[in-house]
Amino acid sequence: MTPTPPRIAVIGAGPGGLTCARVLQRHGVPVTVYDHEASADARPQGGTLDLHLTTGQKALHAAGLYEEFRAVARPEGQQMRLLDRAATLLFEHTPAADVTDRPEIDRARLRRLLLDSLTPGTVRWGHYLRAVHPLGDGRHKAEFDNGRTETFDVVIGADGAWSRVRPLLSDATPHYSGVTFVEFGLDDADARHPGIARLVGDGSMMAAHADKALIAQRNSRAHIRGYAAFRGSQDWALQAGLVMADTEAVRAVLLEAFAGWDDRLLALLRENDGGFVNRPLFALPVPHTWIHTRGLTLLGDAAHLMTPFSGMGANLAMLDGCELAEALVARHDDPDEALRAYETAMLPRSARAAEMAARGLANAISPDAPQGSLHHLRRMAGQDQEGP
């Protein structure tokens, strides 16, 4: 008699959760994804991602989506530039046209690629997880704020930095890293902001000096997404008497903070379209581990939230989702053994990446920048050997 497949819930429709669902479905294993957002397009999905050969791209191969990814990816986005505050070019990395180790793809486009690959109805939108209740024998009841409850044999927390699943496994909470990003954007940059477009190039640009940086990355459709990065209090805006919705007041404070920088760089702050978004960077303790608990596990930021200075966050989330799904497929008659096998590989790997992210942050936004930033970008470009 064929065993009844376990009831599997993925909490969170980010890249890791959707990759997990896609690989499971590809092998005929049923799964349901629950997400708190009202719909797939309820909010912007963020900037661009470089998907690495042995992590994100490996997961897309397992998901049967690699060719679709290649059709929309931007290999030219692998370009990196480092400038000092005088806008002097210190470092440039432009891979050959046939090198596709880390091609870029917009987060929104990657999410749509994964969503479109799933059986219709797989994702249940508008389901904010209120609580998870152990029922014994590895089963858990998920309670959502819309009043719905469901019982599952496996609950996978793919619900990000402030995961509602993680507290059942770990007492750890994200801590402020000491660095804040203030996000901004420029639309139709080649036509409307040509000087900035030339400065940024086809990929990403960082200008750094003494605990501050201006970072910009090319997205598709000629959009440039940027960040003013600095060390300081998480409450910097409150302490400055700022309301983030007051765009001109925020702009004035940022221009003062970056006073003395070249006008070509300050144009990023002067010319941005729309407002500014405050994004303090958080991370989980390193290493973040937990005692194995039957019927529960975590992936992606829920398991190993780190700052973006490893370049590995989304890549690891997708690899997590892929490997967890493959373990569940291989051990379909014993999901607990599948979770154990997955965690045995994932936890040490993510700890190494999180350590690398902490070092990257310390180097890139540092008192001795841009020298520390140079070390960071050389590592990101693969010219300094270090990896998870």
Side-chain angles (χ1 to χ4, degrees):
M1 180 180 295
T2 303
T4 302
R7 292 201 69 203
I8 301 173
V10 175
I11 311 299
L18 294 176
T19 299
C20 185
R22 164 63 179 176
V23 176
L24 285 171
Q25 287 190 347
R26 199 172 184 223
H27 290 276
V29 178
V31 59
T32 306
V33 180
Y34 296 89
D35 196 273
H36 70 278
E37 294 177 9
S39 69
D41 303 314
R43 66 172 180 88
Q45 293 301 306
T48 184
L49 297 168
D50 57 330
L51 293 193
H52 301 186
L53 195 64
T54 59
T55 49
Q57 291 185 51
K58 179 180 178 181
L60 287 172
H61 275 291
L65 297 173
Y66 181 70
E67 293 305 321
E68 290 90 336
F69 160 71
R70 283 193 62 186
V72 296
R74 301 190 314 278
E76 68 277 9
Q78 298 173 103
Q79 183 187 67
M80 299 181 192
R81 289 177 176 173
L82 175 67
L83 286 65
D84 63 16
R85 66 172 175 168
T88 302
L89 182 65
L90 304 177
F91 170 79
E92 184 168 23
H93 174 66
T94 305
D98 60 344
V99 174
T100 57
D101 289 353
R102 299 181 177 188
E104 297 279 339
I105 184 171
D106 286 8
R107 283 180 176 269
R109 187 164 282 187
L110 175 64
R111 192 189 206 197
R112 178 49 59 188
L113 181 69
L114 290 163
L115 283 170
D116 288 348
S117 74
L118 298 176
T119 303
T122 298
V123 181
R124 308 284 176 83
W125 301 105
H127 281 70
Y128 179 80
L129 184 68
R130 183 185 297 277
V132 180
H133 304 284
L135 299 177
D137 198 28
R139 294 179 307 122
H140 291 80
K141 181 172 72 173
E143 177 186 348
F144 299 94
D145 68 348
N146 58 10
R148 185 168 183 171
T149 61
E150 296 280 355
T151 299
F152 298 99
D153 301 298
V154 177
V155 176
I156 300 166
D159 49 342
W162 308 104
S163 170
R164 301 303 296 268
V165 179
R166 185 170 57 230
L168 279 78
L169 294 169
S170 165
D171 293 331
T173 57
H175 62 272
Y176 176 54
S177 67
V179 172
T180 287
F181 278 12
V182 179
E183 181 182 327
F184 54 86
L186 300 106
D187 298 323
D188 196 13
D190 295 307
R192 299 182 61 243
H193 310 281
I196 292 173
R198 288 191 296 271
L199 194 72
V200 173
D202 290 330
S204 61
M205 180 278 297
M206 173 188 286
H209 177 76
D211 281 336
K212 295 186 181 75
L214 290 172
I215 302 167
Q217 54 178 213
R218 175 79 65 155
N219 291 193
S220 61
R221 300 181 178 89
H223 181 75
I224 289 176
R225 188 177 301 266
Y227 306 91
F230 50 85
R231 290 192 176 274
S233 168
Q234 181 184 340
D235 299 321
W236 70 276
L238 180 65
Q239 292 167 359
L242 284 177
V243 176
M244 293 303 296
D246 188 343
T247 297
E248 293 310 315
V250 175
R251 191 192 317 279
V253 169
L254 291 176
L255 287 170
E256 182 178 357
F258 286 86
W261 289 50
D262 190 274
D263 279 346
R264 287 169 290 178
L265 294 167
L266 295 180
L268 287 162
L269 303 175
R270 290 196 180 107
E271 298 182 22
N272 68 296
D273 300 302
F276 296 93
V277 181
N278 195 39
R279 299 200 184 280
L281 303 185
F282 289 86
L284 280 165
V286 183
H288 177 231
T289 61
W290 56 86
I291 296 173
H292 172 76
T293 300
R294 190 172 182 180
L296 290 177
T297 196
L298 305 172
L299 64 78
D301 284 351
H304 44 71
L305 177 68
M306 62 191 78
T307 70
F309 287 89
S310 72
M312 293 290 291
N315 282 280
L316 287 179
M318 294 176 69
L319 185 62
D320 291 350
C322 165
E323 291 191 348
L324 175 53
E326 290 178 335
L328 286 164
V329 169
R331 297 167 173 83
H332 62 275
D333 56 340
D334 191 347
D336 188 58
E337 281 303 306
L339 301 192
R340 286 184 183 275
Y342 158 72
E343 290 170 355
T344 297
M346 181 274 292
L347 288 170
R349 176 179 67 214
S350 63
R352 292 192 296 271
E355 289 170 356
M356 186 167 63
R359 290 196 297 272
L361 179 65
N363 285 330
I365 315 296
S366 65
D368 70 340
Q371 287 306 311
S373 308
L374 178 60
H375 172 71
H376 168 68
L377 286 189
R378 286 178 61 87
R379 179 185 59 76
M380 295 289 286
Q383 296 181 8
D384 286 344
Q385 296 303 309
E386 179 182 12

